[in-house]
């Protein structure tokens, strides 16, 4: 079975720009969660997608948005980038209703905003 | 609201010695608890989980964790540390009473350094 794949692995953007990060979930997993991990910190929950809808959100502003596609892959979009958005963005997939199995994480996208 | 605390930023242990990485949690109901490990520039890897049942759970790479409800703790342990265990360890909790979605809250992480 394939794991979680994220692209790109690294990205440098200028303040004010927009960015799209992509994630392919593990085979058989229909729920995708996105986390932001700032340097030296634990992952912070951004939001979760199931059946192409956002069904949970953390304490992040509306300029953080996402999509989930019928094949369960997902995108994270961030508008009006700020310097503090520099972080490792992690995608995690899980089977719906079986969150107790734990997440399968991708290797992340390292975003640097300059 | 659910939360996790990892009181130690770093734990140093000699190779071959037992190791413990501490974690305490706060949830409304009975928690789902997890440990993950992160190597440099990588995502998190699942180590083990506690859902219900035996308080001592065994996971990958010889790690185990003990659930203590009265102390609201879920410490990670290993009888004999290896240099290759050096990494960043995260404790996480999910409150199953939070309906609708599977929010998992992570601690701030503990850096484990195993000294040869």
């Amino acid at each position: 079975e394939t794991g979680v794949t994220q692209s790109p692995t690294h990205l440098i953007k200028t303040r004010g720009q927009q960015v799209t990060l992509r994630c392919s979930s593990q085979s058989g997993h229909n729920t995708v969660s996105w986390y932001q991990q700032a340097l030296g910190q634990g992952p912070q929950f951004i939001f979760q997608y199931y059946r192409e809808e956002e069904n949970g959100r953390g304490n992040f502003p509306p300029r953080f948005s996402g999509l989930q596609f019928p094949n369960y892959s997902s995108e994270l979009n961030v508008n009006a980038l700020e310097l503090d958005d520099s972080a490792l963005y992690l995608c995690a997939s899980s089977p719906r209703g079986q969150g107790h199995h734990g997440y399968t994480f991708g290797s992340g996208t390292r975003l640097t905003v300059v | 609201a659910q939360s996790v605390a990892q009181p130690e930023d770093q734990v140093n242990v000699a190779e071959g010695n037992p190791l413990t990485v501490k974690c305490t949690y706060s949830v409304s109901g009975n928690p789902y608890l997890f440990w993950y490990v992160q190597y440099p520039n990588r995502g998190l890897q699942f180590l083990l989980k506690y859902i219900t049942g035996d308080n001592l759970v065994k996971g990958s790479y010889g790690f185990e964790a003990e659930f203590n409800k009265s102390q609201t703790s879920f410490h990670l342990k290993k009888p004999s540390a290896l240099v290759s265990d050096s990494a960043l360890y995260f404790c996480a909790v999910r409150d199953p009473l939070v309906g609708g979605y599977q929010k998992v809250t992570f601690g701030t992480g503990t850096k484990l350094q195993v000294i040869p």
Side-chain angles (χ1 to χ4, degrees):
Chain A
E1 76 188 2
T2 58
V4 175
T5 305
Q6 292 187 243
S7 62
T9 55
H10 295 83
L11 201 53
I12 300 175
K13 288 287 190 178
T14 302
R15 189 172 50 184
Q17 285 187 315
Q18 178 267 343
V19 68
T20 297
L21 311 182
R22 295 178 174 82
C23 171
S24 295
S25 62
Q26 180 169 314
S27 176
H29 287 189
N30 56 15
T31 301
V32 173
S33 302
W34 285 92
Y35 283 80
Q36 180 195 65
Q37 186 180 15
L39 198 62
Q41 301 294 317
Q44 297 293 314
F45 177 73
I46 303 175
F47 43 54
Q48 183 178 90
Y49 276 82
Y50 170 65
R51 287 187 174 177
E52 303 175 48
E53 291 189 358
E54 181 184 300
N55 72 339
R57 190 177 185 92
N59 188 27
F60 281 81
R63 59 189 185 84
F64 285 78
S65 63
L67 288 171
Q68 187 180 33
F69 300 98
N71 66 353
Y72 308 134
S73 66
S74 178
E75 289 182 353
L76 164 65
N77 299 291
V78 186
N79 292 324
L81 284 166
E82 302 177 358
L83 296 179
D84 286 348
D85 295 333
S86 295
L88 181 67
Y89 288 84
L90 296 166
C91 171
S93 71
S94 58
R96 177 65 173 181
Q98 300 178 50
H100 56 274
H101 282 194
Y103 288 149
T104 300
F105 279 89
S107 296
T109 294
R110 173 73 63 185
L111 173 65
T112 302
V113 182
V114 297
Chain B
Q2 58 193 42
S3 66
V4 173
Q6 294 182 243
E8 303 154 317
D9 290 335
Q10 182 159 335
V11 169
N12 296 320
V13 63
E15 186 177 23
N17 281 4
L19 69 87
T20 299
V21 182
K22 296 179 180 178
C23 170
T24 59
Y25 66 89
S26 174
V27 298
S28 302
N30 294 317
Y32 293 166
L33 292 159
F34 308 88
W35 276 101
Y36 288 82
V37 60
Q38 186 177 34
Y39 296 98
N41 299 313
R42 300 298 302 275
L44 280 67
Q45 297 178 29
F46 172 76
L47 277 180
L48 51 79
K49 67 178 186 285
Y50 171 83
I51 304 301
T52 186
D54 195 350
N55 289 344
L56 184 65
V57 294
K58 296 186 182 297
S60 306
Y61 313 119
F63 283 94
E64 58 190 25
E66 186 169 12
F67 171 64
N68 187 317
K69 187 173 183 177
S70 62
Q71 296 185 3
T72 62
S73 67
F74 189 57
H75 300 332
L76 181 70
K77 301 180 180 184
K78 187 173 182 181
S80 178
L82 301 172
V83 173
S84 57
D85 293 330
S86 299
L88 193 55
Y89 290 81
F90 290 95
C91 181
V93 66
R94 179 192 164 201
D95 186 346
L97 293 182
V98 176
Y101 67 101
Q102 307 164 3
K103 178 183 177 182
V104 176
T105 298
F106 288 83
T108 52
T110 298
K111 182 179 180 181
L112 174 65
Q113 190 74 39
V114 180
I115 303 164

